[in-house]
Amino acid sequence: MEVPPGARVGTKSFPQTLPLADREVVLTFDDGPWPTTTAAILDALKAECVRATFFLIGENARIRPELVRRARAEGHTIAHHSMTHPEATLAGLPFPAAVAEIERGIAADDFAAYGTVAGAPRIPFFRFPGFAATPALLDYLSQRGISVFGADLWASDWNKMTPEQELDLVLRRLDAAGRGIILFHDTKSQTAAMIPAFLRALAERGYHTVHIVPASATARPPN
């Protein structure tokens, strides 16, 4: 599915979401890449021929470019989640500092994925850490043609639980919603352990995964 520039989607944060059909889902992962867990998730996605979107933290991408390049080579969408995921959130920083966090993160992600940094992100997708946006930052991203993603449901995998508990939780939420953008974290061992069973459950329950990409006019070819 192509996403137009400057979109704001995900009902946890915005009034609208992607125009998904019933039993269509978009899989997204935040905060990586991370040793072991990101690789395990990539293995599971590859085994089921599923593509996802990874919202990367720039400093993690800088340290582990091989995982970023692998995700890109396997057809996943490389998106952005700030440079350091500041504890104060971007909303708690002065505007210039928040913009620097965004731009440094985009540059680090793109350098890890493509080996160069262009004047604009190759994939103009961003998710605010903690979903903590401000009107000024939303306007800034809109002016840059960058789409902002919230989520429609999440796995709550920042809470301690077993893989089995997480699987039950996210499937119950998904069955209640019927469709949507799902938020996971590829830094969580319980999520990495749960994903193979989750992907099998999606197929068994008749769900289809949708791969999101920028609208053709905004997509930038890698150098």
Side-chain angles (χ1 to χ4, degrees):
M1 175 182 290
E2 291 192 346
V3 179
R8 298 174 186 174
V9 293
T11 53
K12 292 290 188 183
S13 301
F14 304 110
Q16 67 285 332
T17 192
L18 297 172
L20 298 170
D22 187 44
R23 294 191 175 269
E24 286 187 340
V25 298
V26 173
L27 305 184
T28 68
F29 295 88
D30 283 9
D31 291 1
W34 200 250
T36 309
T37 52
T38 299
I41 288 168
L42 289 172
D43 288 343
L45 294 169
K46 185 176 182 179
E48 300 296 333
C49 299
V50 170
R51 291 180 178 178
T53 298
F54 288 84
F55 289 89
L56 306 182
I57 294 176
E59 64 180 3
N60 288 342
R62 178 179 56 80
I63 295 168
R64 304 175 189 95
E66 70 285 353
L67 285 171
V68 182
R69 291 193 296 268
R70 178 186 168 185
R72 178 187 163 224
E74 293 178 1
H76 303 291
T77 296
I78 303 300
H80 312 286
H81 197 45
S82 83
M83 184 65 186
T84 67
H85 202 299
E87 186 175 350
T89 76
L90 299 183
L93 298 179
F95 180 78
V99 167
E101 264 283 333
I102 292 170
E103 295 297 342
R104 288 176 60 228
I106 289 171
D109 297 340
D110 275 4
F111 189 80
Y114 307 101
T116 61
V117 177
R122 268 51 166 226
I123 305 294
F125 293 172
F126 184 80
R127 178 178 275 152
F128 279 88
F131 299 112
T134 67
L137 289 171
L138 288 169
D139 287 346
Y140 173 80
L141 292 169
S142 179
Q143 291 164 10
R144 296 267 278 130
I146 297 174
S147 296
V148 177
F149 286 79
D152 298 312
L153 60 147
W154 46 56
S156 296
D157 56 358
W158 50 83
N159 295 319
K160 186 175 181 180
M161 65 182 89
T162 67
E164 294 75 19
Q165 288 170 329
E166 183 177 343
L167 177 64
D168 178 69
L169 176 64
V170 71
L171 286 176
R172 283 191 286 108
R173 289 176 174 174
L174 179 56
D175 284 342
R179 72 192 78 182
I181 305 165
I182 307 175
L183 168 64
F184 298 101
H185 292 81
D186 56 310
T187 57
K188 302 298 183 181
S189 59
Q190 68 207 35
T191 296
M194 179 274 304
I195 285 293
F198 175 70
L199 295 175
R200 291 192 297 270
L202 287 182
E204 291 165 359
R205 293 172 184 233
Y207 287 97
H208 302 278
T209 56
V210 174
H211 181 214
I212 54 172
V213 297
S216 299
T218 66
R220 296 178 181 273
N223 293 329

